[in-house]
Amino acid sequence: MTRRLTQLFLGLALYGLSIALIVRADLGLDPWDVLNQGVFERFASPAGISFGLVVNLIGLAVLLLWIPLRQKPGLGTVANVLVIGTVANFGLEWIPIGLDLPLRVGLLLAGITLNGVASGAYIGAGLGPGPRDGLMTGIVARTGWPVKWVRTTIELGVVAIGWTLGGSIGLGTILYALSIGPLIHAFLPLFTLQPRQTATA
């Protein structure tokens, strides 16, 4: 359990850092952060609410959607809501804005790669899915619709709402969409922890 908890929280922290890298790259965000940024720009920033808190609050709002789907959160689910946005805030404070294009491209590539590593780590810990992943699996379980269509519909809907509110879409959005699946596919087996086998007579 110590290994699982360490991997969970380290993975969530790295995920938050990856968000900060992609935001500071300013070349387009992943779908959920398009929504996060749109809500931040339209509602939160004028009210003095930080981007990271918006990330956490939207995660909480998505978690509430689990109730009619009868999904049960785990420790990792709750930690996801609390940790990712908080670490993203720290990252946004440390990483300067207005960098030259080559540095921004480097931030984007590093952010996407780190996002894949972090996803593999916190999912592989096996302590509960994130709110957004649980929303997808809950809808699939309740409707029987194919995972690929449910995931695509959610992502497109999130991007559309976020873009309407002022979220950033660009090269980074496309690159993230094309690469995050293969990255998680590569890293998840490396971090997946199997239950310890007990000796039998």
Side-chain angles (χ1 to χ4, degrees):
M1 181 56 72
T2 300
R3 165 74 187 276
R4 289 182 183 276
L5 288 172
T6 301
Q7 181 173 308
L8 169 69
F9 283 99
L10 182 58
L12 293 175
L14 292 177
Y15 196 102
L17 179 58
S18 76
I19 290 176
L21 291 170
I22 296 171
V23 170
R24 285 291 181 254
D26 195 24
L27 293 170
L29 305 175
D30 67 272
W32 280 98
D33 283 322
V34 173
L35 176 62
N36 292 333
Q37 188 183 55
V39 172
F40 173 73
E41 296 291 346
R42 183 64 64 91
F43 304 110
S45 182
I49 298 174
S50 69
F51 179 84
L53 182 55
V54 170
V55 173
N56 287 346
L57 290 175
I58 289 180
L60 178 60
V62 173
L63 185 57
L64 294 177
L65 295 177
W66 285 29
I67 297 174
L69 298 173
R70 299 178 183 175
Q71 290 282 90
K72 294 182 179 180
L75 173 61
T77 311
V78 177
N80 186 297
V81 172
L82 298 175
V83 173
I84 290 178
T86 304
V87 174
N89 258 354
F90 285 113
L92 291 171
E93 291 178 0
W94 296 335
I95 303 169
I97 61 175
L99 297 171
D100 292 337
L101 182 58
L103 289 175
R104 289 163 51 207
V105 171
L107 289 181
L108 176 64
L109 296 177
I112 292 174
T113 303
L114 186 60
N115 193 281
V117 173
S119 296
Y122 88 75
I123 294 171
L127 293 173
R132 298 152 188 84
D133 294 324
L135 175 64
M136 175 192 68
T137 57
I139 293 175
V140 169
R142 296 288 289 173
T143 64
W145 296 339
V147 172
K148 62 182 180 180
W149 296 120
V150 172
R151 182 60 179 258
T152 300
T153 300
I154 292 174
E155 300 277 322
L156 289 176
V158 165
V159 167
I161 296 171
W163 180 75
T164 301
L165 293 174
S168 174
I169 296 177
L171 174 64
T173 310
I174 298 171
L175 186 59
Y176 184 94
L178 293 175
S179 61
I180 193 61
L183 284 170
I184 294 176
H185 181 80
F187 287 113
L188 183 57
L190 300 178
F191 292 109
T192 298
L193 299 178
Q194 301 297 336
R196 181 175 297 176
Q197 300 296 321
T198 57
T200 56

PDB file of all heavy atoms in Angstrom, residues 13-51:
ATOM      1  N   ALA A  13       0.884  14.541  -8.862  1.00  0.00           N
ATOM      2  CA  ALA A  13       1.695  15.757  -8.837  1.00  0.00           C
ATOM      3  C   ALA A  13       2.322  16.023 -10.207  1.00  0.00           C
ATOM      4  O   ALA A  13       2.340  17.164 -10.697  1.00  0.00           O
ATOM      5  CB  ALA A  13       2.770  15.651  -7.760  1.00  0.00           C
ATOM      6  N   LEU A  14       2.852  14.977 -10.830  1.00  0.00           N
ATOM      7  CA  LEU A  14       3.441  15.135 -12.167  1.00  0.00           C
ATOM      8  C   LEU A  14       2.382  15.515 -13.192  1.00  0.00           C
ATOM      9  O   LEU A  14       2.654  16.275 -14.128  1.00  0.00           O
ATOM     10  CB  LEU A  14       4.137  13.838 -12.579  1.00  0.00           C
ATOM     11  CG  LEU A  14       5.390  13.466 -11.777  1.00  0.00           C
ATOM     12  CD1 LEU A  14       5.933  12.123 -12.250  1.00  0.00           C
ATOM     13  CD2 LEU A  14       6.453  14.546 -11.892  1.00  0.00           C
ATOM     14  N   TYR A  15       1.177  15.001 -13.019  1.00  0.00           N
ATOM     15  CA  TYR A  15       0.078  15.367 -13.924  1.00  0.00           C
ATOM     16  C   TYR A  15      -0.213  16.867 -13.808  1.00  0.00           C
ATOM     17  O   TYR A  15      -0.398  17.562 -14.813  1.00  0.00           O
ATOM     18  CB  TYR A  15      -1.175  14.561 -13.592  1.00  0.00           C
ATOM     19  CG  TYR A  15      -2.221  14.569 -14.672  1.00  0.00           C
ATOM     20  CD1 TYR A  15      -2.372  13.474 -15.525  1.00  0.00           C
ATOM     21  CD2 TYR A  15      -3.060  15.657 -14.866  1.00  0.00           C
ATOM     22  CE1 TYR A  15      -3.336  13.465 -16.521  1.00  0.00           C
ATOM     23  CE2 TYR A  15      -4.024  15.662 -15.858  1.00  0.00           C
ATOM     24  CZ  TYR A  15      -4.158  14.565 -16.685  1.00  0.00           C
ATOM     25  OH  TYR A  15      -5.103  14.569 -17.676  1.00  0.00           O
ATOM     26  N   GLY A  16      -0.259  17.370 -12.573  1.00  0.00           N
ATOM     27  CA  GLY A  16      -0.472  18.798 -12.379  1.00  0.00           C
ATOM     28  C   GLY A  16       0.633  19.631 -13.005  1.00  0.00           C
ATOM     29  O   GLY A  16       0.381  20.672 -13.633  1.00  0.00           O
ATOM     30  N   LEU A  17       1.885  19.165 -12.866  1.00  0.00           N
ATOM     31  CA  LEU A  17       3.007  19.865 -13.472  1.00  0.00           C
ATOM     32  C   LEU A  17       2.904  19.845 -14.994  1.00  0.00           C
ATOM     33  O   LEU A  17       3.219  20.837 -15.665  1.00  0.00           O
ATOM     34  CB  LEU A  17       4.324  19.232 -13.026  1.00  0.00           C
ATOM     35  CG  LEU A  17       5.609  19.840 -13.597  1.00  0.00           C
ATOM     36  CD1 LEU A  17       5.712  21.326 -13.259  1.00  0.00           C
ATOM     37  CD2 LEU A  17       6.830  19.085 -13.091  1.00  0.00           C
ATOM     38  N   SER A  18       2.449  18.723 -15.549  1.00  0.00           N
ATOM     39  CA  SER A  18       2.313  18.630 -17.006  1.00  0.00           C
ATOM     40  C   SER A  18       1.284  19.635 -17.521  1.00  0.00           C
ATOM     41  O   SER A  18       1.458  20.215 -18.603  1.00  0.00           O
ATOM     42  CB  SER A  18       1.924  17.204 -17.413  1.00  0.00           C
ATOM     43  OG  SER A  18       0.565  16.914 -17.150  1.00  0.00           O
ATOM     44  N   ILE A  19       0.232  19.857 -16.760  1.00  0.00           N
ATOM     45  CA  ILE A  19      -0.761  20.867 -17.147  1.00  0.00           C
ATOM     46  C   ILE A  19      -0.114  22.241 -17.214  1.00  0.00           C
ATOM     47  O   ILE A  19      -0.322  23.004 -18.171  1.00  0.00           O
ATOM     48  CB  ILE A  19      -1.944  20.875 -16.163  1.00  0.00           C
ATOM     49  CG1 ILE A  19      -2.788  19.605 -16.324  1.00  0.00           C
ATOM     50  CG2 ILE A  19      -2.812  22.127 -16.359  1.00  0.00           C
ATOM     51  CD1 ILE A  19      -3.919  19.493 -15.336  1.00  0.00           C
ATOM     52  N   ALA A  20       0.681  22.569 -16.200  1.00  0.00           N
ATOM     53  CA  ALA A  20       1.346  23.874 -16.177  1.00  0.00           C
ATOM     54  C   ALA A  20       2.272  24.040 -17.378  1.00  0.00           C
ATOM     55  O   ALA A  20       2.332  25.115 -17.993  1.00  0.00           O
ATOM     56  CB  ALA A  20       2.129  24.036 -14.871  1.00  0.00           C
ATOM     57  N   LEU A  21       3.014  22.994 -17.735  1.00  0.00           N
ATOM     58  CA  LEU A  21       3.912  23.064 -18.888  1.00  0.00           C
ATOM     59  C   LEU A  21       3.133  23.329 -20.176  1.00  0.00           C
ATOM     60  O   LEU A  21       3.534  24.166 -21.003  1.00  0.00           O
ATOM     61  CB  LEU A  21       4.695  21.753 -19.012  1.00  0.00           C
ATOM     62  CG  LEU A  21       5.741  21.470 -17.933  1.00  0.00           C
ATOM     63  CD1 LEU A  21       6.252  20.042 -18.056  1.00  0.00           C
ATOM     64  CD2 LEU A  21       6.897  22.450 -18.013  1.00  0.00           C
ATOM     65  N   ILE A  22       2.024  22.624 -20.353  1.00  0.00           N
ATOM     66  CA  ILE A  22       1.240  22.787 -21.578  1.00  0.00           C
ATOM     67  C   ILE A  22       0.578  24.160 -21.630  1.00  0.00           C
ATOM     68  O   ILE A  22       0.517  24.801 -22.690  1.00  0.00           O
ATOM     69  CB  ILE A  22       0.195  21.655 -21.682  1.00  0.00           C
ATOM     70  CG1 ILE A  22       0.898  20.292 -21.824  1.00  0.00           C
ATOM     71  CG2 ILE A  22      -0.735  21.883 -22.873  1.00  0.00           C
ATOM     72  CD1 ILE A  22      -0.031  19.100 -21.729  1.00  0.00           C
ATOM     73  N   VAL A  23       0.102  24.641 -20.490  1.00  0.00           N
ATOM     74  CA  VAL A  23      -0.510  25.978 -20.451  1.00  0.00           C
ATOM     75  C   VAL A  23       0.519  27.041 -20.801  1.00  0.00           C
ATOM     76  O   VAL A  23       0.265  27.945 -21.612  1.00  0.00           O
ATOM     77  CB  VAL A  23      -1.130  26.256 -19.071  1.00  0.00           C
ATOM     78  CG1 VAL A  23      -1.542  27.727 -18.950  1.00  0.00           C
ATOM     79  CG2 VAL A  23      -2.352  25.365 -18.838  1.00  0.00           C
ATOM     80  N   ARG A  24       1.705  26.966 -20.221  1.00  0.00           N
ATOM     81  CA  ARG A  24       2.746  27.970 -20.470  1.00  0.00           C
ATOM     82  C   ARG A  24       3.309  27.868 -21.894  1.00  0.00           C
ATOM     83  O   ARG A  24       3.840  28.838 -22.421  1.00  0.00           O
ATOM     84  CB  ARG A  24       3.865  27.846 -19.445  1.00  0.00           C
ATOM     85  CG  ARG A  24       3.491  28.401 -18.080  1.00  0.00           C
ATOM     86  CD  ARG A  24       3.352  29.912 -18.137  1.00  0.00           C
ATOM     87  NE  ARG A  24       3.021  30.480 -16.839  1.00  0.00           N
ATOM     88  CZ  ARG A  24       1.825  30.953 -16.518  1.00  0.00           C
ATOM     89  NH1 ARG A  24       0.832  30.893 -17.407  1.00  0.00           N
ATOM     90  NH2 ARG A  24       1.607  31.479 -15.329  1.00  0.00           N
ATOM     91  N   ALA A  25       3.187  26.702 -22.530  1.00  0.00           N
ATOM     92  CA  ALA A  25       3.597  26.580 -23.924  1.00  0.00           C
ATOM     93  C   ALA A  25       2.733  27.459 -24.823  1.00  0.00           C
ATOM     94  O   ALA A  25       3.192  27.961 -25.844  1.00  0.00           O
ATOM     95  CB  ALA A  25       3.528  25.122 -24.372  1.00  0.00           C
ATOM     96  N   ASP A  26       1.472  27.628 -24.445  1.00  0.00           N
ATOM     97  CA  ASP A  26       0.546  28.515 -25.157  1.00  0.00           C
ATOM     98  C   ASP A  26       0.435  28.157 -26.634  1.00  0.00           C
ATOM     99  O   ASP A  26       0.425  29.022 -27.516  1.00  0.00           O
ATOM    100  CB  ASP A  26       0.989  29.974 -24.994  1.00  0.00           C
ATOM    101  CG  ASP A  26      -0.118  30.968 -25.379  1.00  0.00           C
ATOM    102  OD1 ASP A  26      -1.300  30.579 -25.332  1.00  0.00           O
ATOM    103  OD2 ASP A  26       0.217  32.103 -25.753  1.00  0.00           O
ATOM    104  N   LEU A  27       0.339  26.847 -26.894  1.00  0.00           N
ATOM    105  CA  LEU A  27       0.197  26.372 -28.278  1.00  0.00           C
ATOM    106  C   LEU A  27      -1.045  25.501 -28.444  1.00  0.00           C
ATOM    107  O   LEU A  27      -1.162  24.758 -29.417  1.00  0.00           O
ATOM    108  CB  LEU A  27       1.454  25.585 -28.686  1.00  0.00           C
ATOM    109  CG  LEU A  27       2.744  26.404 -28.805  1.00  0.00           C
ATOM    110  CD1 LEU A  27       3.944  25.483 -28.962  1.00  0.00           C
ATOM    111  CD2 LEU A  27       2.655  27.379 -29.972  1.00  0.00           C
ATOM    112  N   GLY A  28      -1.966  25.597 -27.500  1.00  0.00           N
ATOM    113  CA  GLY A  28      -3.172  24.779 -27.525  1.00  0.00           C
ATOM    114  C   GLY A  28      -3.153  23.776 -26.390  1.00  0.00           C
ATOM    115  O   GLY A  28      -2.116  23.180 -26.090  1.00  0.00           O
ATOM    116  N   LEU A  29      -4.316  23.582 -25.768  1.00  0.00           N
ATOM    117  CA  LEU A  29      -4.420  22.742 -24.579  1.00  0.00           C
ATOM    118  C   LEU A  29      -5.108  21.422 -24.896  1.00  0.00           C
ATOM    119  O   LEU A  29      -5.755  21.266 -25.935  1.00  0.00           O
ATOM    120  CB  LEU A  29      -5.204  23.477 -23.490  1.00  0.00           C
ATOM    121  CG  LEU A  29      -4.675  24.858 -23.098  1.00  0.00           C
ATOM    122  CD1 LEU A  29      -5.616  25.513 -22.103  1.00  0.00           C
ATOM    123  CD2 LEU A  29      -3.276  24.748 -22.521  1.00  0.00           C
ATOM    124  N   ASP A  30      -4.972  20.463 -23.972  1.00  0.00           N
ATOM    125  CA  ASP A  30      -5.732  19.229 -24.097  1.00  0.00           C
ATOM    126  C   ASP A  30      -7.207  19.527 -23.843  1.00  0.00           C
ATOM    127  O   ASP A  30      -7.555  20.585 -23.287  1.00  0.00           O
ATOM    128  CB  ASP A  30      -5.212  18.192 -23.093  1.00  0.00           C
ATOM    129  CG  ASP A  30      -5.496  18.582 -21.663  1.00  0.00           C
ATOM    130  OD1 ASP A  30      -4.667  19.285 -21.067  1.00  0.00           O
ATOM    131  OD2 ASP A  30      -6.556  18.186 -21.142  1.00  0.00           O
ATOM    132  N   PRO A  31      -8.125  18.646 -24.260  1.00  0.00           N
ATOM    133  CA  PRO A  31      -9.558  18.974 -24.221  1.00  0.00           C
ATOM    134  C   PRO A  31     -10.078  19.475 -22.881  1.00  0.00           C
ATOM    135  O   PRO A  31     -10.774  20.491 -22.821  1.00  0.00           O
ATOM    136  CB  PRO A  31     -10.213  17.641 -24.615  1.00  0.00           C
ATOM    137  CG  PRO A  31      -9.217  17.016 -25.534  1.00  0.00           C
ATOM    138  CD  PRO A  31      -7.880  17.363 -24.949  1.00  0.00           C
ATOM    139  N   TRP A  32      -9.766  18.786 -21.784  1.00  0.00           N
ATOM    140  CA  TRP A  32     -10.311  19.211 -20.499  1.00  0.00           C
ATOM    141  C   TRP A  32      -9.721  20.538 -20.036  1.00  0.00           C
ATOM    142  O   TRP A  32     -10.404  21.338 -19.384  1.00  0.00           O
ATOM    143  CB  TRP A  32     -10.098  18.128 -19.436  1.00  0.00           C
ATOM    144  CG  TRP A  32     -11.125  17.037 -19.540  1.00  0.00           C
ATOM    145  CD1 TRP A  32     -10.974  15.831 -20.161  1.00  0.00           C
ATOM    146  CD2 TRP A  32     -12.471  17.059 -19.055  1.00  0.00           C
ATOM    147  NE1 TRP A  32     -12.140  15.110 -20.075  1.00  0.00           N
ATOM    148  CE2 TRP A  32     -13.072  15.834 -19.397  1.00  0.00           C
ATOM    149  CE3 TRP A  32     -13.221  18.003 -18.349  1.00  0.00           C
ATOM    150  CZ2 TRP A  32     -14.396  15.514 -19.070  1.00  0.00           C
ATOM    151  CZ3 TRP A  32     -14.538  17.697 -18.008  1.00  0.00           C
ATOM    152  CH2 TRP A  32     -15.109  16.463 -18.370  1.00  0.00           C
ATOM    153  N   ASP A  33      -8.474  20.799 -20.401  1.00  0.00           N
ATOM    154  CA  ASP A  33      -7.890  22.080 -20.012  1.00  0.00           C
ATOM    155  C   ASP A  33      -8.365  23.224 -20.903  1.00  0.00           C
ATOM    156  O   ASP A  33      -8.286  24.389 -20.512  1.00  0.00           O
ATOM    157  CB  ASP A  33      -6.360  21.995 -19.996  1.00  0.00           C
ATOM    158  CG  ASP A  33      -5.860  21.265 -18.760  1.00  0.00           C
ATOM    159  OD1 ASP A  33      -6.457  21.461 -17.690  1.00  0.00           O
ATOM    160  OD2 ASP A  33      -4.898  20.488 -18.869  1.00  0.00           O
ATOM    161  N   VAL A  34      -8.849  22.911 -22.110  1.00  0.00           N
ATOM    162  CA  VAL A  34      -9.550  23.937 -22.894  1.00  0.00           C
ATOM    163  C   VAL A  34     -10.777  24.405 -22.109  1.00  0.00           C
ATOM    164  O   VAL A  34     -11.046  25.603 -22.000  1.00  0.00           O
ATOM    165  CB  VAL A  34      -9.963  23.391 -24.276  1.00  0.00           C
ATOM    166  CG1 VAL A  34     -10.843  24.401 -25.008  1.00  0.00           C
ATOM    167  CG2 VAL A  34      -8.743  23.071 -25.127  1.00  0.00           C
ATOM    168  N   LEU A  35     -11.496  23.446 -21.538  1.00  0.00           N
ATOM    169  CA  LEU A  35     -12.643  23.802 -20.703  1.00  0.00           C
ATOM    170  C   LEU A  35     -12.206  24.541 -19.455  1.00  0.00           C
ATOM    171  O   LEU A  35     -12.794  25.579 -19.094  1.00  0.00           O
ATOM    172  CB  LEU A  35     -13.418  22.540 -20.321  1.00  0.00           C
ATOM    173  CG  LEU A  35     -14.596  22.751 -19.355  1.00  0.00           C
ATOM    174  CD1 LEU A  35     -15.657  23.651 -19.981  1.00  0.00           C
ATOM    175  CD2 LEU A  35     -15.202  21.408 -18.960  1.00  0.00           C
ATOM    176  N   ASN A  36     -11.175  24.027 -18.780  1.00  0.00           N
ATOM    177  CA  ASN A  36     -10.684  24.690 -17.563  1.00  0.00           C
ATOM    178  C   ASN A  36     -10.285  26.137 -17.843  1.00  0.00           C
ATOM    179  O   ASN A  36     -10.632  27.052 -17.082  1.00  0.00           O
ATOM    180  CB  ASN A  36      -9.480  23.924 -17.001  1.00  0.00           C
ATOM    181  CG  ASN A  36      -9.848  22.558 -16.460  1.00  0.00           C
ATOM    182  OD1 ASN A  36     -10.965  22.327 -16.033  1.00  0.00           O
ATOM    183  ND2 ASN A  36      -8.903  21.637 -16.504  1.00  0.00           N
ATOM    184  N   GLN A  37      -9.550  26.337 -18.942  1.00  0.00           N
ATOM    185  CA  GLN A  37      -9.112  27.689 -19.269  1.00  0.00           C
ATOM    186  C   GLN A  37     -10.291  28.578 -19.646  1.00  0.00           C
ATOM    187  O   GLN A  37     -10.336  29.756 -19.282  1.00  0.00           O
ATOM    188  CB  GLN A  37      -8.099  27.663 -20.409  1.00  0.00           C
ATOM    189  CG  GLN A  37      -7.467  29.021 -20.676  1.00  0.00           C
ATOM    190  CD  GLN A  37      -6.521  28.993 -21.850  1.00  0.00           C
ATOM    191  OE1 GLN A  37      -6.895  28.582 -22.949  1.00  0.00           O
ATOM    192  NE2 GLN A  37      -5.282  29.432 -21.631  1.00  0.00           N
ATOM    193  N   GLY A  38     -11.257  28.022 -20.388  1.00  0.00           N
ATOM    194  CA  GLY A  38     -12.427  28.807 -20.753  1.00  0.00           C
ATOM    195  C   GLY A  38     -13.201  29.288 -19.538  1.00  0.00           C
ATOM    196  O   GLY A  38     -13.585  30.462 -19.443  1.00  0.00           O
ATOM    197  N   VAL A  39     -13.420  28.377 -18.588  1.00  0.00           N
ATOM    198  CA  VAL A  39     -14.114  28.762 -17.348  1.00  0.00           C
ATOM    199  C   VAL A  39     -13.284  29.771 -16.569  1.00  0.00           C
ATOM    200  O   VAL A  39     -13.819  30.741 -16.015  1.00  0.00           O
ATOM    201  CB  VAL A  39     -14.393  27.501 -16.491  1.00  0.00           C
ATOM    202  CG1 VAL A  39     -14.922  27.890 -15.115  1.00  0.00           C
ATOM    203  CG2 VAL A  39     -15.383  26.592 -17.208  1.00  0.00           C
ATOM    204  N   PHE A  40     -11.969  29.546 -16.542  1.00  0.00           N
ATOM    205  CA  PHE A  40     -11.087  30.473 -15.834  1.00  0.00           C
ATOM    206  C   PHE A  40     -11.161  31.872 -16.440  1.00  0.00           C
ATOM    207  O   PHE A  40     -11.327  32.872 -15.722  1.00  0.00           O
ATOM    208  CB  PHE A  40      -9.652  29.953 -15.880  1.00  0.00           C
ATOM    209  CG  PHE A  40      -8.628  30.909 -15.335  1.00  0.00           C
ATOM    210  CD1 PHE A  40      -8.524  31.138 -13.973  1.00  0.00           C
ATOM    211  CD2 PHE A  40      -7.772  31.596 -16.192  1.00  0.00           C
ATOM    212  CE1 PHE A  40      -7.584  32.033 -13.469  1.00  0.00           C
ATOM    213  CE2 PHE A  40      -6.834  32.484 -15.700  1.00  0.00           C
ATOM    214  CZ  PHE A  40      -6.739  32.698 -14.338  1.00  0.00           C
ATOM    215  N   GLU A  41     -11.025  31.973 -17.757  1.00  0.00           N
ATOM    216  CA  GLU A  41     -11.009  33.279 -18.412  1.00  0.00           C
ATOM    217  C   GLU A  41     -12.347  33.992 -18.283  1.00  0.00           C
ATOM    218  O   GLU A  41     -12.400  35.211 -18.088  1.00  0.00           O
ATOM    219  CB  GLU A  41     -10.646  33.118 -19.896  1.00  0.00           C
ATOM    220  CG  GLU A  41      -9.246  32.590 -20.147  1.00  0.00           C
ATOM    221  CD  GLU A  41      -8.168  33.595 -19.779  1.00  0.00           C
ATOM    222  OE1 GLU A  41      -8.492  34.779 -19.587  1.00  0.00           O
ATOM    223  OE2 GLU A  41      -6.994  33.181 -19.659  1.00  0.00           O
ATOM    224  N   ARG A  42     -13.443  33.247 -18.403  1.00  0.00           N
ATOM    225  CA  ARG A  42     -14.763  33.873 -18.425  1.00  0.00           C
ATOM    226  C   ARG A  42     -15.287  34.207 -17.032  1.00  0.00           C
ATOM    227  O   ARG A  42     -15.893  35.263 -16.829  1.00  0.00           O
ATOM    228  CB  ARG A  42     -15.748  32.943 -19.144  1.00  0.00           C
ATOM    229  CG  ARG A  42     -17.162  33.510 -19.295  1.00  0.00           C
ATOM    230  CD  ARG A  42     -17.200  34.748 -20.176  1.00  0.00           C
ATOM    231  NE  ARG A  42     -16.814  34.443 -21.532  1.00  0.00           N
ATOM    232  CZ  ARG A  42     -17.658  34.084 -22.496  1.00  0.00           C
ATOM    233  NH1 ARG A  42     -18.963  33.982 -22.225  1.00  0.00           N
ATOM    234  NH2 ARG A  42     -17.230  33.848 -23.713  1.00  0.00           N
ATOM    235  N   PHE A  43     -15.055  33.320 -16.073  1.00  0.00           N
ATOM    236  CA  PHE A  43     -15.693  33.487 -14.773  1.00  0.00           C
ATOM    237  C   PHE A  43     -14.714  33.640 -13.602  1.00  0.00           C
ATOM    238  O   PHE A  43     -14.920  34.479 -12.725  1.00  0.00           O
ATOM    239  CB  PHE A  43     -16.616  32.286 -14.479  1.00  0.00           C
ATOM    240  CG  PHE A  43     -17.654  32.051 -15.528  1.00  0.00           C
ATOM    241  CD1 PHE A  43     -17.570  30.940 -16.352  1.00  0.00           C
ATOM    242  CD2 PHE A  43     -18.699  32.936 -15.714  1.00  0.00           C
ATOM    243  CE1 PHE A  43     -18.518  30.700 -17.332  1.00  0.00           C
ATOM    244  CE2 PHE A  43     -19.661  32.711 -16.685  1.00  0.00           C
ATOM    245  CZ  PHE A  43     -19.568  31.600 -17.502  1.00  0.00           C
ATOM    246  N   ALA A  44     -13.677  32.807 -13.581  1.00  0.00           N
ATOM    247  CA  ALA A  44     -12.843  32.728 -12.382  1.00  0.00           C
ATOM    248  C   ALA A  44     -11.852  33.865 -12.275  1.00  0.00           C
ATOM    249  O   ALA A  44     -11.682  34.457 -11.204  1.00  0.00           O
ATOM    250  CB  ALA A  44     -12.105  31.382 -12.357  1.00  0.00           C
ATOM    251  N   SER A  45     -11.161  34.180 -13.359  1.00  0.00           N
ATOM    252  CA  SER A  45     -10.134  35.218 -13.309  1.00  0.00           C
ATOM    253  C   SER A  45     -10.686  36.564 -12.842  1.00  0.00           C
ATOM    254  O   SER A  45     -10.084  37.210 -11.976  1.00  0.00           O
ATOM    255  CB  SER A  45      -9.463  35.365 -14.678  1.00  0.00           C
ATOM    256  OG  SER A  45      -8.441  36.337 -14.635  1.00  0.00           O
ATOM    257  N   PRO A  46     -11.829  37.016 -13.371  1.00  0.00           N
ATOM    258  CA  PRO A  46     -12.382  38.282 -12.873  1.00  0.00           C
ATOM    259  C   PRO A  46     -12.730  38.245 -11.381  1.00  0.00           C
ATOM    260  O   PRO A  46     -12.741  39.286 -10.711  1.00  0.00           O
ATOM    261  CB  PRO A  46     -13.651  38.472 -13.719  1.00  0.00           C
ATOM    262  CG  PRO A  46     -13.404  37.688 -14.962  1.00  0.00           C
ATOM    263  CD  PRO A  46     -12.609  36.503 -14.515  1.00  0.00           C
ATOM    264  N   ALA A  47     -12.998  37.028 -10.877  1.00  0.00           N
ATOM    265  CA  ALA A  47     -13.347  36.894  -9.464  1.00  0.00           C
ATOM    266  C   ALA A  47     -12.134  36.629  -8.586  1.00  0.00           C
ATOM    267  O   ALA A  47     -12.271  36.444  -7.372  1.00  0.00           O
ATOM    268  CB  ALA A  47     -14.363  35.762  -9.293  1.00  0.00           C
ATOM    269  N   GLY A  48     -10.939  36.578  -9.190  1.00  0.00           N
ATOM    270  CA  GLY A  48      -9.732  36.338  -8.420  1.00  0.00           C
ATOM    271  C   GLY A  48      -9.494  34.893  -8.059  1.00  0.00           C
ATOM    272  O   GLY A  48      -8.694  34.591  -7.165  1.00  0.00           O
ATOM    273  N   ILE A  49     -10.164  33.961  -8.768  1.00  0.00           N
ATOM    274  CA  ILE A  49      -9.994  32.524  -8.510  1.00  0.00           C
ATOM    275  C   ILE A  49      -8.891  31.997  -9.412  1.00  0.00           C
ATOM    276  O   ILE A  49      -8.848  32.298 -10.605  1.00  0.00           O
ATOM    277  CB  ILE A  49     -11.309  31.774  -8.762  1.00  0.00           C
ATOM    278  CG1 ILE A  49     -12.395  32.286  -7.808  1.00  0.00           C
ATOM    279  CG2 ILE A  49     -11.125  30.266  -8.594  1.00  0.00           C
ATOM    280  CD1 ILE A  49     -13.770  31.709  -8.074  1.00  0.00           C
ATOM    281  N   SER A  50      -7.983  31.195  -8.876  1.00  0.00           N
ATOM    282  CA  SER A  50      -6.825  30.714  -9.627  1.00  0.00           C
ATOM    283  C   SER A  50      -7.219  29.624 -10.625  1.00  0.00           C
ATOM    284  O   SER A  50      -8.243  28.950 -10.479  1.00  0.00           O
ATOM    285  CB  SER A  50      -5.767  30.166  -8.671  1.00  0.00           C
ATOM    286  OG  SER A  50      -6.216  28.968  -8.060  1.00  0.00           O
ATOM    287  N   PHE A  51      -6.354  29.449 -11.621  1.00  0.00           N
ATOM    288  CA  PHE A  51      -6.580  28.398 -12.623  1.00  0.00           C
ATOM    289  C   PHE A  51      -6.597  27.022 -11.965  1.00  0.00           C
ATOM    290  O   PHE A  51      -7.436  26.180 -12.289  1.00  0.00           O
ATOM    291  CB  PHE A  51      -5.484  28.463 -13.691  1.00  0.00           C
ATOM    292  CG  PHE A  51      -5.614  27.410 -14.757  1.00  0.00           C
ATOM    293  CD1 PHE A  51      -6.454  27.604 -15.839  1.00  0.00           C
ATOM    294  CD2 PHE A  51      -4.888  26.225 -14.679  1.00  0.00           C
ATOM    295  CE1 PHE A  51      -6.574  26.625 -16.825  1.00  0.00           C
ATOM    296  CE2 PHE A  51      -4.999  25.253 -15.660  1.00  0.00           C
ATOM    297  CZ  PHE A  51      -5.850  25.451 -16.739  1.00  0.00           C
TER     298      PHE A  51
END
